[in-house]
Amino acid sequence: MVDFEYSIPTKIFFGKDKINVLGREVKKYGSKVLIVYGGGSIKRNGIYDKAISILKENGISYYELPGVEPNPRITTVKKGIDICKENGVELVLAIGGGSAIDCAKVVAAGCDYEGDPWDIVLDGSKIKKVLPIASILTLAATGSEMDSWAVINNMETNEKLIAAHPDMAPTFSILDPTYTFTVPKNQTAAGTADIMSHVFEVYFSNTKTAYLQDRMAEAVLRTCIKYGKIALEHPSDYEARANLMWASSLAINGLLTYGKDTNWSVHLMEHELSAFYDITHGVGLAILTPNWMEYILNNDTVYKFVEYGVNVWGIDKEKNHYDIAHEAIEKTRDYFVNALGIPARLKEVGIGEDKLDIMAKESVKLTGGTVGNLRPVNANEILEIFKKSL
Ligand code: NZQ
Ligand code: ZN
C-alpha cells in the first residue's frame, strides 16, 4: 500500500426525510443562500417546495440559479457568480444530480476570483477562497455530493474539464434515497454505469498491495450490479435506491483510492465525447469501458481481470486466465447493454468517425500523453478504442 493522507470532510445526512436538517445546517454558515438546480425535475417531484418551505421557516433568504444543463456550462456558472456577488450569498446549495452540484461548486469557487471563471477550471491553484457548498442529491451517479471535483463544459471551445480544489467538497450533503424514485430509467442506468466506472478507474491500478481497497471496490461493483437492475424494474424500491446512493458516494470519495497509485483513463476519453457531442456521461462510459478493457488486456494485466472476473462476476477461478478475463469483459458489456439497456455503440448516440481523431488527442492533452495506470494508453491507442466502440 502506498502512503496517504485521509480527509473526507463532507458530513452526510442519509435517509428518508433527512431534509429536515436543512435549516439547522445552513444557519451554521449564514442566512443568504443561492439555490442551484436543473431543468425542473425538483419542481415536479416536490423537493423544491419542501426545501423552500424549510428555508422560509428558518428565516433564510434565498436566490435561485435554475436551468443548469446536464453537462453544465461555464456560462451558467458565470450567472451564478454574478448573483452571489450582487447579493452577498453565504452558502451555495445545489439540489439535483452531478450537474447542479458541479455548477454550484464552481460558482462557490468563483465568487472570490476576479478574472474569467474558466481560468479556475483550467487551473485549480487559482482558487483561493470557496463559499461553503451543500447539496441535496437527487440522482445516484457522480459522487459529486462527497468529492471535491467539478466537471464543466465550455461549448465555445468544445472543452469539458475537471476543476479541483479541496475546499470544493460540500460541507454537508443530504442523501434521501426516496428523492431518486423519480429518476427515469435511462438516467438510473447511466448513473449506475458511472458509479461502476469510478470504481474501475481506481481498481485497475498497478498497486498490488491494496488488498483491502480492492475488496471494498469489488463490493461497490457487486452492489451496483445487483441493485442497478432492481432500481430499473422497481423505481421506488428503497433498498435498491439506498444502496445505489451510498455506492455513488463511496465510489469516488477517496476511500477506494487511498493507498493506491491511480490515473484515470476512460473518464478522460468520455469527457471528450460529452464535450463534442453533449451526450450523457454514463452512457459514453458504458460504451467505451468494455472496449477499453479488451484493449488493455495482455500478459501483464490479465491477473487483474482474473480478480475482477472471479470476485465480481463469480466466474470459476479454475478456468484459463484469459477465458476468465474475456468472460468478465463480456459480462460487463452484457450488463450495460442488456440489463441496463444502455446503447452498445457510439453510432447509436450520434457519434461518427469524423471527430474521433481530435477527441483522442484532446483526451491526453492535460495528462502528459497517456491516460490510465494499469496499462496507460496514448492518443493513437485511444483512437483504436474509439474505433472499436463505433
Ligand atoms: O435537470 P433536471 O430537470 O433536474 O433533470 C435531471 C437531468 O435531466 C434528471 N434528474 C436528476 N435527478 C432527478 C432527475 N429526474 C427525475 N427525478 C430526479 N430525482 O437527470 C438528468 C441528468 O442530471 P445530471 O445532474 O446531469 O446527471 P449526473 O448526476 O449524472 O451528472 C452528470 C454530470 O456530472 C459530471 C458529468 O461529466 C456530467 O457533467 N461528473 C461529475 C463528477 C464529479 N463532480 O466528481 C464525476 C463524474 O465522473 C462526472 O464526470
Ligand atoms: Zn463519472
Side-chain angles (χ1 to χ4, degrees), residues 154-334:
N154 185 331
M155 303 312 275
E156 281 175 24
T157 57
N158 281 131
E159 285 175 295
K160 174 169 180 144
L161 297 175
I162 301 170
H165 192 281
D167 296 343
M168 289 197 323
T171 54
F172 70 91
S173 287
I174 294 170
L175 274 58
D176 180 340
T178 66
Y179 287 0
T180 63
F181 286 177
T182 53
V183 175
K185 274 187 191 316
N186 63 336
Q187 291 294 341
T188 300
T192 304
D194 190 20
I195 301 168
M196 291 175 70
S197 179
H198 297 153
V199 181
F200 293 145
E201 297 284 12
V202 297
Y203 182 72
F204 288 97
S205 142
N206 271 315
T207 306
K208 292 183 177 164
T209 51
Y211 180 90
L212 173 63
Q213 290 87 328
D214 282 350
R215 301 297 83 74
M216 291 194 293
E218 287 157 0
V220 176
L221 290 170
R222 291 171 71 124
T223 300
C224 292
I225 293 164
K226 176 177 163 85
Y227 288 110
K229 247 174 83 174
I230 298 175
L232 276 191
E233 281 156 22
H234 307 285
S236 304
D237 185 312
Y238 185 88
E239 181 181 324
R241 294 295 195 180
N243 276 277
L244 287 174
M245 200 170 218
W246 193 219
S248 151
S249 306
L250 294 187
I252 202 172
N253 71 357
L255 200 62
L256 307 181
T257 310
Y258 289 126
K260 297 186 77 171
D261 282 324
T262 57
N263 268 322
W264 288 36
S265 56
V266 179
H267 267 70
L268 283 298
M269 303 178 209
E270 194 295 314
H271 284 170
E272 296 308 321
L273 307 183
S274 311
F276 280 84
Y277 291 94
D278 200 16
I279 64 165
T280 299
H281 172 62
V283 170
L285 294 169
I287 296 172
L288 294 177
T289 294
N291 298 307
W292 163 77
M293 286 178 166
E294 268 162 13
Y295 194 87
I296 66 159
L297 174 63
N298 62 25
N299 288 345
D300 295 330
T301 63
V302 67
Y303 78 94
K304 197 70 205 181
F305 286 94
V306 171
E307 264 180 57
Y308 171 57
V310 171
N311 295 338
V312 175
W313 291 106
I315 300 170
D316 179 1
K317 67 176 188 295
E318 300 305 326
K319 286 187 176 174
N320 168 288
H321 281 184
Y322 270 95
D323 288 346
I324 296 174
H326 287 302
E327 195 176 328
I329 295 169
E330 226 18 73
K331 281 185 182 290
T332 310
R333 191 192 311 276
D334 180 67

Side-chain angles (χ1 to χ4, degrees), residues 38-41 44-45 70-72 97-99 102 138-139 141-142 144 147 149-151 160 179 182-184 187 194 198 252 267 271 281:
S41 70
R44 292 189 291 276
N45 58 23
N71 297 327
S99 295
D102 286 3
T138 66
L139 168 52
T142 65
S144 189
D147 74 20
W149 300 343
V151 189
K160 174 169 180 144
Y179 287 0
T182 53
V183 175
Q187 291 294 341
D194 190 20
H198 297 153
I252 202 172
H267 267 70
H271 284 170
H281 172 62

Side-chain angles (χ1 to χ4, degrees), residues 6 8-15 18-19 21 24-25 28-29 101 133-137 143-147 169-177 242 245-250 252-253:
Y6 175 103
I8 304 179
T10 303
K11 188 164 185 180
I12 296 292
F13 297 93
F14 191 102
K18 284 292 174 187
I19 197 169
V21 305
R24 180 191 84 198
E25 290 303 312
K28 290 179 183 168
Y29 302 94
I101 303 173
I133 299 155
S135 82
I136 301 172
L137 183 66
S144 189
E145 67 276 8
M146 211 177 176
D147 74 20
T171 54
F172 70 91
S173 287
I174 294 170
L175 274 58
D176 180 340
M245 200 170 218
W246 193 219
S248 151
S249 306
L250 294 187
I252 202 172
N253 71 357

